[in-house]
Amino acid sequence: MSAPIAIIGTGIAGLSAAQALHAAGQHVELFDKSRGSGGRMSSKRSDAGSLDLGAQYFTARDRRFAEMVKQWRDRGWVAEWSPSLYNFAAGQLLPSPDEQIRWVGSPRMSAITRAMLGALPVSFACRITEVFHGERHWGLQDAEGLSHGPFSHVIVATPAPQATALLAAAPKLAGAAASVAMEPVWAVALGFDTPLDTRVEGCFVQDNPLDWVARNRSKPGREAGLDTWVLHASNAWSKQHLDLPKEVVIEHLHGAFAEMIGCAVPAPSFSLAHRWLYARPSQAHQWGALADADLGLYACGDWCLSGRVEGAWLSGQEAARRLLEHL
Ligand code: FAD
Ligand code: NAD
């Protein structure tokens, strides 16, 4: 048996590549610095139930991705979310319905990546610090000083700022990753004992510290204990307040939420804050994936296409396709 292919990152891009390679009969081995899969599509277990603090929903515009999502739906991994949508701009909160189909993982966002991972071999809580090439094979070094390998190829499927150092063996790829700026997002969850008196279930917000709010219980399959809301700060506000303590971020965003939502907002009985340092690339690219096929080193992730779930999945497919065509 030839050496397996290493994939660093178990977000949707890494798992998309893993599935495509596995389906083609290749052996893969995955690594993630977190304790579970999903990356920015992970869900946080909390006293208020499971919360999607990162990706809120996704759309499927590409034919291949739409086909995949249909299969996920048939297997029960995703469900359609049709929130009562609003838009808040210039101090006005107005209904903003549309015909767009929006998907969420069911019963939580992380259900998708967990199901995609299945029984593939993975090391969690394993932060890779170096990707090195031996005489014939690749090896990985982790933050504990342990080496992993040998591997025939390596796919780096982390956000661009974290990919740069891991791509050092291929300076062109490292340069491309280094050129991608990624924007931060502060996410806050607030849980209320008494449901808020509003019809809003999802709201796009303009010119405000907030950028988006969602009512957790309006998503299919979620627990309906507390009335829990997820608030996302805008990139600009998040950047400006990157180092604020979490309690202060909660206080600010609770205030902004109370001002825009148009009903009485009491003190929450549950709150938490999470800072996403690399939430989204500041611009879209058309790279698909990055490849040094002669070396056997690849990179994928949302930053190679659109900074969305769909882009990340497509990028993983593209990395796998380019690797397979060069075998
Ligand atoms: P990630 O999900 O970031 O996966 C990368 C993985 O690599 C992570 O698990 C990480 O732990 C791991 N990793 C990093 N460095 C190392 C290392 N050195 N060693 C080992 N492992 C490492 N998209 C939408 O389509 N709709 C939305 O509504 C939406 N909302 C969003 C809201 C927020 C707040 C955020 C943060 C993102 C949102 N997105 C949304 C974007 C979407 O979540 C991403 O585009 C997508 O999940 C990216 O997937 P990925 O696999 O490229 O990267
Ligand atoms: P989408 O078509 O629902 O949204 C795209 C954008 O169109 C929205 O951001 C919003 O500005 C606007 N929009 C859509 N429907 C609207 C409506 N009914 N009323 C008012 N404005 C509306 O979905 P998409 O293109 O798949 O994008 C996914 C979502 O993920 C977007 O909301 C995007 O902002 C968000 N996202 C957030 C981050 C982050 O870091 N916060 C990262 C990536 C993507």
Side-chain angles (χ1 to χ4, degrees):
M1 192 175 86
S2 65
I5 298 164
I7 301 179
I8 308 170
T10 62
I12 191 146
L15 286 167
S16 165
Q19 283 210 318
L21 293 168
H22 181 68
Q26 299 298 313
H27 293 276
V28 296
E29 216 177 302
L30 293 114
F31 298 85
D32 204 294
K33 68 181 175 60
S34 297
R35 279 174 297 164
S37 60
R40 283 169 277 161
M41 285 179 82
S42 58
S43 309
K44 187 170 177 65
R45 283 176 201 275
S46 77
D47 293 344
S50 201
L51 298 168
D52 306 333
L53 293 177
Q56 295 295 295
Y57 65 86
F58 55 92
T59 56
R61 300 195 169 102
D62 179 274
R63 185 186 43 76
R64 291 159 296 172
F65 186 56
E67 194 48 48
M68 186 79 259
V69 175
K70 265 192 209 148
Q71 291 183 29
W72 292 347
R73 181 200 55 196
D74 295 345
R75 292 176 202 153
W77 304 357
V78 301
E80 207 177 315
W81 181 44
S82 310
S84 154
L85 267 183
Y86 280 68
N87 191 54
F88 182 83
Q92 275 204 304
L93 180 68
L94 293 172
S96 191
D98 64 21
E99 300 297 313
Q100 179 67 55
I101 295 177
R102 296 181 171 86
W103 298 98
V104 294
S106 177
R108 56 188 72 88
M109 198 52 107
S110 61
I112 304 166
T113 49
R114 177 173 284 225
M116 287 172 82
L117 180 61
L120 293 174
V122 61
S123 302
F124 286 125
C126 183
R127 186 162 67 84
I128 302 301
T129 51
E130 199 188 334
V131 176
F132 58 90
H133 204 253
E135 245 169 58
R136 290 184 49 226
H137 288 108
W138 289 97
L140 308 181
Q141 168 113 355
D142 70 25
E144 307 285 312
L146 295 174
S147 292
H148 306 265
F151 299 109
S152 61
H153 304 77
V154 176
I155 299 182
V156 177
T158 69
Q162 292 161 321
T164 305
L166 302 177
L167 294 170
K172 263 196 178 163
L173 272 52
S179 73
V180 178
M182 293 192 71
E183 306 286 338
V185 167
W186 269 112
V188 160
L190 303 176
F192 303 97
D193 290 325
T194 310
L196 299 189
D197 184 17
T198 174
R199 291 199 62 246
V200 176
E201 291 178 332
C203 183
F204 299 100
V205 187
Q206 271 88 54
D207 306 321
N208 193 276
L210 292 172
D211 166 78
W212 164 256
V213 308
R215 190 172 216 163
N216 197 50
R217 56 162 58 171
S218 67
K219 295 185 177 179
R222 269 57 176 179
E223 296 143 60
L226 289 181
D227 183 20
T228 307
W229 293 72
V230 172
L231 322 179
H232 282 165
S234 67
N235 294 135
W237 192 92
S238 304
K239 211 183 237 178
Q240 228 175 10
H241 299 90
L242 204 56
D243 296 318
L244 278 189
K246 287 184 175 178
E247 320 78 72
V248 183
V249 171
I250 291 169
E251 197 182 311
H252 273 287
L253 298 186
H254 176 251
F257 178 60
E259 271 180 33
M260 53 103 7
I261 198 69
C263 66
V265 178
S269 54
F270 167 88
S271 63
L272 65 75
H274 180 85
R275 186 180 69 172
W276 297 99
L277 263 186
Y278 306 125
R280 70 160 113 206
S282 54
Q283 66 184 89
H285 295 92
Q286 297 298 329
W287 297 335
L290 303 181
D292 187 325
D294 293 332
L295 265 181
L297 187 58
Y298 298 80
C300 60
D302 65 339
W303 50 277
C304 291
L305 284 167
S306 68
R308 298 158 51 240
V309 169
E310 178 179 66
W313 183 85
L314 286 168
S315 179
Q317 294 288 299
E318 179 64 8
R321 189 190 67 75
R322 294 182 72 171
L323 191 157
L324 289 168
E325 93 183 348
H326 208 260
L327 283 180

